[in-house]
Amino acid sequence: MEHPLQAWRDTLRELGVVGLVREPRLEPAAPQAAPQPVHRVVPEAPLPPAVPKAYAPPTGPVACPPAAAVQAAATLADLQRAIEGCLACPLGPGRMKFVFGEGDPAARLLFVGEGPGRDEDLQGRPFVGKAGELLDKMIGALGFSRETTYIANIVKCRPPDNRTPTPEEAHTCLGYLHRQIELIRPDVIVTLGATPLRELAGITEGITKLRGQWQRIQVGGREIPVMPTFHPAYVLRQYTQDVRRAVWQDLQAAKEWLDRPAGS
Ligand code: URA
């Protein structure tokens, strides 16, 4: 039987790590003026059907979840119940399943991607396709798992043809993610790709330039450090050692921040 350390070593190799050399400690950059995300509040997985069914319009009353219901949600389960019927933007009517997010409701480490793809839309779970397999490996190599972190997206319904969500779609959905973040209270957020960095932190500079550089956001009166890194789908497309090593460094910086002694 394969020794667990062997699997870990193989995963590290896949991520481009060729030797284990202690990296100099990366301190978060001095806090910048914290961008103030707009709290514009507009408004769970059986096996996927073998054949995708056509969209069936809801039979009950349809309304965008009232902002008050989103704010009143005291748990992630409450929040999910309040918003999973959302038809507030054009993505709603096209979805198979609402992809709320999953993981430890009190996770210290939160990953935020862009939006569900085909596999996620079918299963109602984030990052379950090829990019998700890689994300799972990276999370595992860090010493965490899906169950000990939390994974969410900027939009909770699949954009057609996996296109980038429009700013309107993202803004319509962002209030839900903000409430999720307020309830989870993560110590660090890792944004995957350009879209979550833009929508959560208001930063439009290229991810290639900004990855690895600590940012900060303010949600629910808390300042949260954000580590931007490449999206796993990009890593799969650009499967070079440089890209894989960059992501590994970013994830390690996030873990080091979590592991720092209290009060430092
Ligand atoms: N890509 C994302 O950004 N999110 C997912 O959930 C899956 C793929």
Side-chain angles (χ1 to χ4, degrees):
M1 202 178 80
E2 192 183 44
H3 192 279
L5 275 179
Q6 215 172 324
W8 183 67
R9 188 205 55 200
D10 292 345
T11 302
L12 289 180
R13 280 216 180 115
E14 254 186 76
L15 291 168
V17 178
V18 287
L20 292 175
V21 177
R22 188 175 277 277
E23 296 272 350
R25 191 179 166 83
L26 293 177
E27 291 300 339
Q32 302 172 348
Q36 298 285 334
V38 185
H39 273 242
R40 179 145 41 110
V41 181
V42 197
E44 227 150 282
L47 283 174
V51 179
K53 56 179 169 41
Y55 169 69
T59 48
V62 170
C64 300
V70 174
Q71 279 314 311
T75 64
L76 290 176
D78 286 349
L79 179 63
Q80 182 166 357
R81 270 191 296 276
I83 66 177
E84 65 192 352
C86 178
L87 293 171
C89 88
L91 299 184
R95 70 171 171 249
M96 297 287 300
K97 289 206 170 144
F98 189 84
V99 182
F100 180 74
E102 67 181 26
D104 178 357
R108 297 186 65 207
L109 179 57
L110 167 67
F111 293 90
V112 180
E114 179 174 291
R118 181 178 178 277
D119 297 313
E120 292 76 20
D121 185 41
L122 286 171
Q123 295 190 38
R125 300 178 57 209
F127 280 99
V128 288
K130 286 270 172 260
E133 276 174 29
L134 178 61
L135 182 62
D136 281 346
K137 281 186 184 174
M138 298 193 298
I139 293 177
L142 267 191
F144 291 102
S145 66
R146 259 179 196 259
E147 291 72 32
T148 58
T149 58
Y150 201 94
I151 307 178
N153 281 306
I154 290 292
V155 292
K156 305 204 179 302
C157 302
R158 181 190 182 193
D161 302 323
N162 300 339
R163 65 160 169 74
T164 304
T166 65
E168 290 70 30
E169 291 157 357
H171 292 166
T172 304
C173 218
L174 203 52
Y176 302 158
L177 180 61
H178 282 151
R179 186 68 191 137
Q180 240 170 336
I181 295 173
E182 285 174 0
L183 293 168
I184 298 168
R185 296 176 63 82
D187 291 326
V188 171
I189 297 176
V190 173
T191 51
L192 304 168
T195 304
L197 182 63
R198 185 179 66 238
E199 300 303 336
L200 270 180
I203 296 172
T204 52
E205 251 177 299
I207 184 68
T208 310
K209 185 154 173 224
L210 277 195
R211 64 134 282 272
Q213 296 182 33
W214 284 105
Q215 309 295 326
R216 298 195 177 240
I217 63 168
Q218 191 93 28
V219 179
R222 284 176 75 232
E223 195 172 75
I224 309 173
V226 171
M227 173 50 65
T229 196
F230 292 128
H231 192 286
Y234 173 80
V235 181
L236 288 173
R237 285 196 306 273
Q238 291 296 121
Y239 207 68
T240 65
Q241 200 162 68
D242 281 354
V243 167
R244 286 177 283 154
R245 207 177 272 162
V247 172
W248 181 240
Q249 271 176 9
D250 301 344
L251 296 182
Q252 277 189 307
K255 176 153 166 60
E256 282 183 19
W257 178 255
L258 290 175
D259 290 346
R260 78 199 188 287
S264 64

